[in-house]
Amino acid sequence: MSVVAIGAYDFPAKDVRENFPAPLLYIGWDDHLMVCSPVCLPLPPDMPFGALSTAVLPGVYGEHPDFEKIDWAQVEWLKSGRPWAPDPAKSLAENGLTHKNVIRFRTPGLTGIGGSHS
Amino acid sequence: MDTRVTKKKLGLKDRYAAMTRGLGWETSYQPMDKVFPYDKYEGIKIHDWDQWQDPFRLTMDAYWKYQGEKEKKLYAVIEAFAQNNGQLGVSDARYINALKLFLQGVTPLEYYAHRGFAHVGRQFTGEGARVAAQMQSIDELRHYQTETHALSHYNKYFNGLHNAHHWFDRVWYLSVPKSFFEDAITGGPFEFLVAVSFSFEYVLTNLLFVPFMSGAAHNGDMSTVTFGFSAQSDESRHMTLGIECIKFLLEQDPANVPIVQKWIDKWFWRGYRLLTLVAMMQDYMLPKRVMSWKEAWEMYAEQNGGALFKDLARYGIREPKGWKDACEGKDHISHQAWNTFYNYSAAAAFHTWVPTDEEMDWLAEKYPTTFNQLYRPRLEHYRTQQQAGKRFYSKTLPMLCNVCQVPMFFTEPGDAATICYRESDWRGNQHHFCSDHCKEIFDDEPEKYVQSWLPVHQIYQGNCFDPGTDPTVEGFDPLAAVLKHYQINVGADNFDFEGSQDQKNFAAWRGDAPRGEQA
């Protein structure tokens, strides 16, 4: 135990998988900080990864002027900050995504509003 | 003529000794450690509590007298402000939003500080420290009351001031100040003192009370200035106590030094993250500006704080680990925070807006290397969209830092285009952080922070709806349900300032043409 305490210090973690209806996935769009931070979404593990770009991300980033310019074939993905090649046909779970993973996408050539990374 | 009688009057020093020492309690039928269980377990060694010196030699009788005089003056000003309709004299109704954030996020901290010092006052075995903590506890309760009283006048005329207490325990952005204090008061008594008396009050509160209160004066808000200065005179005493307390701990035993250093590292960073809200108030929420956040940071943190840590070097204390990253943040955090509240203005109990061209020019002048390059294009885009009837609101909940609970909007040191992501695995679960320093705080005590009440996660767990809400019914609107639970009056307390009730009412009361209709 690393907490210095007057007695036993053992409490359940608040954000374990069982407490949510679906695992949480954090998603960020590099070089695009208009949407101020990565977002947090509970997503069904059997959802195909490819549905992110067609069904999920338009609701998050659709109002960004760069969004419609994205060439999804060119997009680079990162998982926990490391390059990662997900299979769009496979599900989130089959791509190895588990509760509270963080993924990011990079859109080469797009650097935000007026090149400001916004 | 009466015969002169020589009064036996004690000198200040003797008087202080008589009024504070000998008030302790040596237990007889229970061991001291059982009655005072808290002042040893953190590992801090105190050999002689009498070395604790209150620098003001403050005694209870003098305390009542000073504070009573201050209260009379304060309430006379508040009353005059109310009778003269002082709310009409402020620079702009946008300014009131800074007061809303103050009442929602800062005033409840005064109450937490009151509770914290009451606890510490009970738990220390040293009498001087106990008396000082008890008086500070009363000060903090007074601040909570006077701030509430002073701001209640605005509550008669503006939205967003009627429910601060309810919001503090529920609303997402208020979990940032709330978690800071809950972390502090659930530490031991010495950690609490280092967190609040030293790191927060001595190193950081000047940044809140001095430039912000000058800002209130510049914006015509004499009622806030008065409570600010009434509190600030206590803060000066608290700050002096804070530095005395640190020196006392360091002088008592060399084994205390590494413990205190660890707490300084932690609490400087937590306090700095909390002050992000103040940075935004300073740069964006004061229609008439006094100094930028960056200038305030340079004056109060870099100069004063820098000198302080040089002074403490002789005890073996170095500047906090996050110091350099905090100094780099002075160019960014106010803009990044304002963007976040602009994104989430639908779910906040105050209004946001795009600064005017004149205000953006001021920001460009104050932030010559960052504002035009990184932040202005985004704000101008927002304005164009808003004027086209497409005001941008983020509709997806943000990822939060597991320690400071701020949305993950801070960027990498040396790279303001890239969000800073850090993570740790602990007992099979992933946890995420906004910075190296929040990660270090977690890694040091993961057992504590896995209990964090993160508002976004709590919403997804279904814990932020009113009892009886069924999220499975067709057409369920989670944001509407959360705002109902928060008791935010949708359309009055939230959304853009442009078109708000506050804006319209203020213009009508003053006889101004609404903005956009001026010739």
Side-chain angles (χ1 to χ4, degrees), chain B residues 47-69:
Chain B
H47 302 291
D48 180 8
W49 272 106
D50 274 340
Q51 294 297 313
W52 177 288
Q53 288 294 338
D54 183 335
F56 287 81
R57 305 269 190 274
L58 197 61
T59 54
M60 200 42 95
D61 55 342
Y63 178 79
W64 294 134
K65 185 167 167 284
Y66 296 142
Q67 298 299 72
E69 283 167 6

PDB file of all heavy atoms in Angstrom, chain B residues 47-69:
ATOM      1  N   HIS B  47       9.452  17.813  17.508  1.00  0.00           N
ATOM      2  CA  HIS B  47      10.111  17.621  18.804  1.00  0.00           C
ATOM      3  C   HIS B  47       9.683  18.667  19.815  1.00  0.00           C
ATOM      4  O   HIS B  47       9.669  18.415  21.014  1.00  0.00           O
ATOM      5  CB  HIS B  47      11.632  17.650  18.614  1.00  0.00           C
ATOM      6  CG  HIS B  47      12.100  16.605  17.636  1.00  0.00           C
ATOM      7  ND1 HIS B  47      12.045  15.262  17.920  1.00  0.00           N
ATOM      8  CD2 HIS B  47      12.576  16.706  16.368  1.00  0.00           C
ATOM      9  CE1 HIS B  47      12.490  14.571  16.863  1.00  0.00           C
ATOM     10  NE2 HIS B  47      12.808  15.430  15.914  1.00  0.00           N
ATOM     11  N   ASP B  48       9.339  19.853  19.328  1.00  0.00           N
ATOM     12  CA  ASP B  48       8.977  20.907  20.274  1.00  0.00           C
ATOM     13  C   ASP B  48       7.921  21.824  19.649  1.00  0.00           C
ATOM     14  O   ASP B  48       8.231  22.730  18.875  1.00  0.00           O
ATOM     15  CB  ASP B  48      10.232  21.729  20.623  1.00  0.00           C
ATOM     16  CG  ASP B  48       9.902  22.839  21.618  1.00  0.00           C
ATOM     17  OD1 ASP B  48       8.760  22.859  22.137  1.00  0.00           O
ATOM     18  OD2 ASP B  48      10.782  23.689  21.844  1.00  0.00           O
ATOM     19  N   TRP B  49       6.695  21.560  20.013  1.00  0.00           N
ATOM     20  CA  TRP B  49       5.578  22.347  19.452  1.00  0.00           C
ATOM     21  C   TRP B  49       5.688  23.828  19.845  1.00  0.00           C
ATOM     22  O   TRP B  49       5.125  24.703  19.175  1.00  0.00           O
ATOM     23  CB  TRP B  49       4.242  21.791  19.928  1.00  0.00           C
ATOM     24  CG  TRP B  49       3.679  20.695  19.064  1.00  0.00           C
ATOM     25  CD1 TRP B  49       3.640  19.368  19.354  1.00  0.00           C
ATOM     26  CD2 TRP B  49       3.058  20.840  17.775  1.00  0.00           C
ATOM     27  NE1 TRP B  49       3.036  18.673  18.318  1.00  0.00           N
ATOM     28  CE2 TRP B  49       2.665  19.556  17.340  1.00  0.00           C
ATOM     29  CE3 TRP B  49       2.800  21.926  16.940  1.00  0.00           C
ATOM     30  CZ2 TRP B  49       2.022  19.325  16.129  1.00  0.00           C
ATOM     31  CZ3 TRP B  49       2.157  21.697  15.733  1.00  0.00           C
ATOM     32  CH2 TRP B  49       1.779  20.416  15.339  1.00  0.00           C
ATOM     33  N   ASP B  50       6.345  24.127  20.946  1.00  0.00           N
ATOM     34  CA  ASP B  50       6.426  25.529  21.383  1.00  0.00           C
ATOM     35  C   ASP B  50       7.235  26.392  20.432  1.00  0.00           C
ATOM     36  O   ASP B  50       7.197  27.619  20.506  1.00  0.00           O
ATOM     37  CB  ASP B  50       6.997  25.622  22.807  1.00  0.00           C
ATOM     38  CG  ASP B  50       5.886  25.469  23.830  1.00  0.00           C
ATOM     39  OD1 ASP B  50       4.709  25.683  23.430  1.00  0.00           O
ATOM     40  OD2 ASP B  50       6.189  25.119  24.981  1.00  0.00           O
ATOM     41  N   GLN B  51       7.993  25.713  19.547  1.00  0.00           N
ATOM     42  CA  GLN B  51       8.732  26.490  18.551  1.00  0.00           C
ATOM     43  C   GLN B  51       7.794  27.111  17.513  1.00  0.00           C
ATOM     44  O   GLN B  51       8.190  27.938  16.713  1.00  0.00           O
ATOM     45  CB  GLN B  51       9.753  25.596  17.825  1.00  0.00           C
ATOM     46  CG  GLN B  51      10.867  25.079  18.707  1.00  0.00           C
ATOM     47  CD  GLN B  51      11.726  26.201  19.264  1.00  0.00           C
ATOM     48  OE1 GLN B  51      12.138  27.085  18.540  1.00  0.00           O
ATOM     49  NE2 GLN B  51      11.950  26.171  20.565  1.00  0.00           N
ATOM     50  N   TRP B  52       6.567  26.627  17.491  1.00  0.00           N
ATOM     51  CA  TRP B  52       5.586  27.198  16.561  1.00  0.00           C
ATOM     52  C   TRP B  52       5.266  28.618  17.014  1.00  0.00           C
ATOM     53  O   TRP B  52       4.770  28.836  18.103  1.00  0.00           O
ATOM     54  CB  TRP B  52       4.304  26.359  16.570  1.00  0.00           C
ATOM     55  CG  TRP B  52       3.234  26.931  15.693  1.00  0.00           C
ATOM     56  CD1 TRP B  52       2.492  28.065  15.938  1.00  0.00           C
ATOM     57  CD2 TRP B  52       2.795  26.432  14.434  1.00  0.00           C
ATOM     58  NE1 TRP B  52       1.634  28.296  14.907  1.00  0.00           N
ATOM     59  CE2 TRP B  52       1.784  27.314  13.964  1.00  0.00           C
ATOM     60  CE3 TRP B  52       3.142  25.337  13.669  1.00  0.00           C
ATOM     61  CZ2 TRP B  52       1.134  27.123  12.754  1.00  0.00           C
ATOM     62  CZ3 TRP B  52       2.486  25.151  12.469  1.00  0.00           C
ATOM     63  CH2 TRP B  52       1.497  26.030  12.020  1.00  0.00           C
ATOM     64  N   GLN B  53       5.557  29.576  16.167  1.00  0.00           N
ATOM     65  CA  GLN B  53       5.277  30.965  16.518  1.00  0.00           C
ATOM     66  C   GLN B  53       4.266  31.543  15.548  1.00  0.00           C
ATOM     67  O   GLN B  53       4.480  31.518  14.343  1.00  0.00           O
ATOM     68  CB  GLN B  53       6.564  31.798  16.445  1.00  0.00           C
ATOM     69  CG  GLN B  53       7.550  31.513  17.563  1.00  0.00           C
ATOM     70  CD  GLN B  53       7.027  31.924  18.929  1.00  0.00           C
ATOM     71  OE1 GLN B  53       6.136  32.775  19.025  1.00  0.00           O
ATOM     72  NE2 GLN B  53       7.553  31.320  19.981  1.00  0.00           N
ATOM     73  N   ASP B  54       3.184  32.099  16.090  1.00  0.00           N
ATOM     74  CA  ASP B  54       2.250  32.825  15.250  1.00  0.00           C
ATOM     75  C   ASP B  54       2.873  34.188  14.959  1.00  0.00           C
ATOM     76  O   ASP B  54       3.091  34.980  15.876  1.00  0.00           O
ATOM     77  CB  ASP B  54       0.925  32.993  16.000  1.00  0.00           C
ATOM     78  CG  ASP B  54      -0.127  33.686  15.163  1.00  0.00           C
ATOM     79  OD1 ASP B  54       0.239  34.444  14.246  1.00  0.00           O
ATOM     80  OD2 ASP B  54      -1.320  33.469  15.435  1.00  0.00           O
ATOM     81  N   PRO B  55       3.180  34.476  13.695  1.00  0.00           N
ATOM     82  CA  PRO B  55       3.892  35.722  13.399  1.00  0.00           C
ATOM     83  C   PRO B  55       3.090  36.968  13.756  1.00  0.00           C
ATOM     84  O   PRO B  55       3.661  38.031  13.968  1.00  0.00           O
ATOM     85  CB  PRO B  55       4.130  35.639  11.888  1.00  0.00           C
ATOM     86  CG  PRO B  55       3.209  34.595  11.377  1.00  0.00           C
ATOM     87  CD  PRO B  55       2.924  33.669  12.506  1.00  0.00           C
ATOM     88  N   PHE B  56       1.779  36.860  13.847  1.00  0.00           N
ATOM     89  CA  PHE B  56       0.967  38.035  14.195  1.00  0.00           C
ATOM     90  C   PHE B  56       0.672  38.109  15.685  1.00  0.00           C
ATOM     91  O   PHE B  56       0.029  39.034  16.143  1.00  0.00           O
ATOM     92  CB  PHE B  56      -0.343  38.031  13.404  1.00  0.00           C
ATOM     93  CG  PHE B  56      -0.150  38.360  11.959  1.00  0.00           C
ATOM     94  CD1 PHE B  56       0.266  37.405  11.054  1.00  0.00           C
ATOM     95  CD2 PHE B  56      -0.353  39.663  11.505  1.00  0.00           C
ATOM     96  CE1 PHE B  56       0.456  37.720   9.727  1.00  0.00           C
ATOM     97  CE2 PHE B  56      -0.162  39.982  10.177  1.00  0.00           C
ATOM     98  CZ  PHE B  56       0.249  39.014   9.281  1.00  0.00           C
ATOM     99  N   ARG B  57       1.119  37.101  16.426  1.00  0.00           N
ATOM    100  CA  ARG B  57       0.820  37.042  17.866  1.00  0.00           C
ATOM    101  C   ARG B  57      -0.669  37.290  18.110  1.00  0.00           C
ATOM    102  O   ARG B  57      -1.063  38.047  18.996  1.00  0.00           O
ATOM    103  CB  ARG B  57       1.621  38.102  18.637  1.00  0.00           C
ATOM    104  CG  ARG B  57       3.114  38.048  18.420  1.00  0.00           C
ATOM    105  CD  ARG B  57       3.779  37.150  19.450  1.00  0.00           C
ATOM    106  NE  ARG B  57       5.226  37.266  19.421  1.00  0.00           N
ATOM    107  CZ  ARG B  57       6.022  36.576  18.608  1.00  0.00           C
ATOM    108  NH1 ARG B  57       5.501  35.721  17.758  1.00  0.00           N
ATOM    109  NH2 ARG B  57       7.320  36.722  18.657  1.00  0.00           N
ATOM    110  N   LEU B  58      -1.476  36.717  17.276  1.00  0.00           N
ATOM    111  CA  LEU B  58      -2.896  37.028  17.335  1.00  0.00           C
ATOM    112  C   LEU B  58      -3.568  36.265  18.470  1.00  0.00           C
ATOM    113  O   LEU B  58      -3.379  35.068  18.622  1.00  0.00           O
ATOM    114  CB  LEU B  58      -3.551  36.645  15.996  1.00  0.00           C
ATOM    115  CG  LEU B  58      -4.913  37.277  15.746  1.00  0.00           C
ATOM    116  CD1 LEU B  58      -4.815  38.795  15.703  1.00  0.00           C
ATOM    117  CD2 LEU B  58      -5.489  36.746  14.440  1.00  0.00           C
ATOM    118  N   THR B  59      -4.346  36.998  19.251  1.00  0.00           N
ATOM    119  CA  THR B  59      -5.091  36.365  20.339  1.00  0.00           C
ATOM    120  C   THR B  59      -6.579  36.569  20.073  1.00  0.00           C
ATOM    121  O   THR B  59      -6.968  37.430  19.287  1.00  0.00           O
ATOM    122  CB  THR B  59      -4.724  36.987  21.697  1.00  0.00           C
ATOM    123  OG1 THR B  59      -4.904  38.396  21.600  1.00  0.00           O
ATOM    124  CG2 THR B  59      -3.283  36.675  22.058  1.00  0.00           C
ATOM    125  N   MET B  60      -7.389  35.769  20.724  1.00  0.00           N
ATOM    126  CA  MET B  60      -8.813  35.762  20.402  1.00  0.00           C
ATOM    127  C   MET B  60      -9.471  37.124  20.623  1.00  0.00           C
ATOM    128  O   MET B  60     -10.278  37.569  19.805  1.00  0.00           O
ATOM    129  CB  MET B  60      -9.495  34.675  21.253  1.00  0.00           C
ATOM    130  CG  MET B  60     -10.824  34.214  20.731  1.00  0.00           C
ATOM    131  SD  MET B  60     -10.888  33.969  18.938  1.00  0.00           S
ATOM    132  CE  MET B  60     -10.550  32.230  18.772  1.00  0.00           C
ATOM    133  N   ASP B  61      -9.107  37.833  21.698  1.00  0.00           N
ATOM    134  CA  ASP B  61      -9.774  39.125  21.952  1.00  0.00           C
ATOM    135  C   ASP B  61      -9.438  40.144  20.860  1.00  0.00           C
ATOM    136  O   ASP B  61     -10.305  40.860  20.359  1.00  0.00           O
ATOM    137  CB  ASP B  61      -9.433  39.656  23.348  1.00  0.00           C
ATOM    138  CG  ASP B  61      -7.935  39.757  23.575  1.00  0.00           C
ATOM    139  OD1 ASP B  61      -7.153  39.121  22.831  1.00  0.00           O
ATOM    140  OD2 ASP B  61      -7.529  40.479  24.507  1.00  0.00           O
ATOM    141  N   ALA B  62      -8.163  40.156  20.438  1.00  0.00           N
ATOM    142  CA  ALA B  62      -7.783  41.082  19.362  1.00  0.00           C
ATOM    143  C   ALA B  62      -8.467  40.674  18.066  1.00  0.00           C
ATOM    144  O   ALA B  62      -8.922  41.519  17.286  1.00  0.00           O
ATOM    145  CB  ALA B  62      -6.270  41.068  19.178  1.00  0.00           C
ATOM    146  N   TYR B  63      -8.564  39.376  17.876  1.00  0.00           N
ATOM    147  CA  TYR B  63      -9.171  38.848  16.645  1.00  0.00           C
ATOM    148  C   TYR B  63     -10.612  39.327  16.492  1.00  0.00           C
ATOM    149  O   TYR B  63     -11.009  39.844  15.460  1.00  0.00           O
ATOM    150  CB  TYR B  63      -9.099  37.319  16.686  1.00  0.00           C
ATOM    151  CG  TYR B  63      -9.725  36.631  15.508  1.00  0.00           C
ATOM    152  CD1 TYR B  63      -9.045  36.552  14.295  1.00  0.00           C
ATOM    153  CD2 TYR B  63     -11.001  36.074  15.600  1.00  0.00           C
ATOM    154  CE1 TYR B  63      -9.625  35.929  13.200  1.00  0.00           C
ATOM    155  CE2 TYR B  63     -11.581  35.445  14.515  1.00  0.00           C
ATOM    156  CZ  TYR B  63     -10.896  35.369  13.316  1.00  0.00           C
ATOM    157  OH  TYR B  63     -11.472  34.754  12.241  1.00  0.00           O
ATOM    158  N   TRP B  64     -11.397  39.179  17.585  1.00  0.00           N
ATOM    159  CA  TRP B  64     -12.804  39.634  17.498  1.00  0.00           C
ATOM    160  C   TRP B  64     -12.871  41.105  17.132  1.00  0.00           C
ATOM    161  O   TRP B  64     -13.714  41.537  16.356  1.00  0.00           O
ATOM    162  CB  TRP B  64     -13.538  39.433  18.825  1.00  0.00           C
ATOM    163  CG  TRP B  64     -13.740  38.020  19.257  1.00  0.00           C
ATOM    164  CD1 TRP B  64     -13.519  37.523  20.497  1.00  0.00           C
ATOM    165  CD2 TRP B  64     -14.228  36.918  18.473  1.00  0.00           C
ATOM    166  NE1 TRP B  64     -13.810  36.180  20.538  1.00  0.00           N
ATOM    167  CE2 TRP B  64     -14.253  35.780  19.300  1.00  0.00           C
ATOM    168  CE3 TRP B  64     -14.623  36.781  17.142  1.00  0.00           C
ATOM    169  CZ2 TRP B  64     -14.665  34.545  18.867  1.00  0.00           C
ATOM    170  CZ3 TRP B  64     -15.043  35.541  16.696  1.00  0.00           C
ATOM    171  CH2 TRP B  64     -15.056  34.437  17.552  1.00  0.00           C
ATOM    172  N   LYS B  65     -11.973  41.876  17.717  1.00  0.00           N
ATOM    173  CA  LYS B  65     -12.029  43.329  17.511  1.00  0.00           C
ATOM    174  C   LYS B  65     -11.739  43.674  16.048  1.00  0.00           C
ATOM    175  O   LYS B  65     -12.515  44.380  15.406  1.00  0.00           O
ATOM    176  CB  LYS B  65     -10.999  43.983  18.446  1.00  0.00           C
ATOM    177  CG  LYS B  65     -10.995  45.480  18.447  1.00  0.00           C
ATOM    178  CD  LYS B  65     -10.172  45.991  19.627  1.00  0.00           C
ATOM    179  CE  LYS B  65      -9.861  47.465  19.499  1.00  0.00           C
ATOM    180  NZ  LYS B  65      -8.819  47.740  18.522  1.00  0.00           N
ATOM    181  N   TYR B  66     -10.632  43.127  15.519  1.00  0.00           N
ATOM    182  CA  TYR B  66     -10.277  43.445  14.126  1.00  0.00           C
ATOM    183  C   TYR B  66     -11.357  42.983  13.159  1.00  0.00           C
ATOM    184  O   TYR B  66     -11.764  43.690  12.244  1.00  0.00           O
ATOM    185  CB  TYR B  66      -8.969  42.738  13.715  1.00  0.00           C
ATOM    186  CG  TYR B  66      -7.752  43.172  14.478  1.00  0.00           C
ATOM    187  CD1 TYR B  66      -6.775  42.245  14.835  1.00  0.00           C
ATOM    188  CD2 TYR B  66      -7.563  44.516  14.822  1.00  0.00           C
ATOM    189  CE1 TYR B  66      -5.643  42.629  15.533  1.00  0.00           C
ATOM    190  CE2 TYR B  66      -6.428  44.908  15.527  1.00  0.00           C
ATOM    191  CZ  TYR B  66      -5.482  43.960  15.884  1.00  0.00           C
ATOM    192  OH  TYR B  66      -4.366  44.331  16.576  1.00  0.00           O
ATOM    193  N   GLN B  67     -11.787  41.735  13.362  1.00  0.00           N
ATOM    194  CA  GLN B  67     -12.736  41.182  12.398  1.00  0.00           C
ATOM    195  C   GLN B  67     -14.075  41.915  12.486  1.00  0.00           C
ATOM    196  O   GLN B  67     -14.723  42.151  11.470  1.00  0.00           O
ATOM    197  CB  GLN B  67     -12.943  39.675  12.624  1.00  0.00           C
ATOM    198  CG  GLN B  67     -11.685  38.828  12.455  1.00  0.00           C
ATOM    199  CD  GLN B  67     -11.081  38.891  11.071  1.00  0.00           C
ATOM    200  OE1 GLN B  67     -10.507  39.910  10.693  1.00  0.00           O
ATOM    201  NE2 GLN B  67     -11.208  37.829  10.312  1.00  0.00           N
ATOM    202  N   GLY B  68     -14.469  42.299  13.694  1.00  0.00           N
ATOM    203  CA  GLY B  68     -15.727  43.044  13.871  1.00  0.00           C
ATOM    204  C   GLY B  68     -15.675  44.363  13.112  1.00  0.00           C
ATOM    205  O   GLY B  68     -16.633  44.747  12.426  1.00  0.00           O
ATOM    206  N   GLU B  69     -14.546  45.049  13.183  1.00  0.00           N
ATOM    207  CA  GLU B  69     -14.415  46.331  12.477  1.00  0.00           C
ATOM    208  C   GLU B  69     -14.500  46.115  10.968  1.00  0.00           C
ATOM    209  O   GLU B  69     -15.124  46.888  10.247  1.00  0.00           O
ATOM    210  CB  GLU B  69     -13.079  47.000  12.836  1.00  0.00           C
ATOM    211  CG  GLU B  69     -13.133  47.634  14.220  1.00  0.00           C
ATOM    212  CD  GLU B  69     -11.759  48.031  14.739  1.00  0.00           C
ATOM    213  OE1 GLU B  69     -10.773  47.923  13.976  1.00  0.00           O
ATOM    214  OE2 GLU B  69     -11.683  48.431  15.924  1.00  0.00           O
TER     215      GLU B  69
END
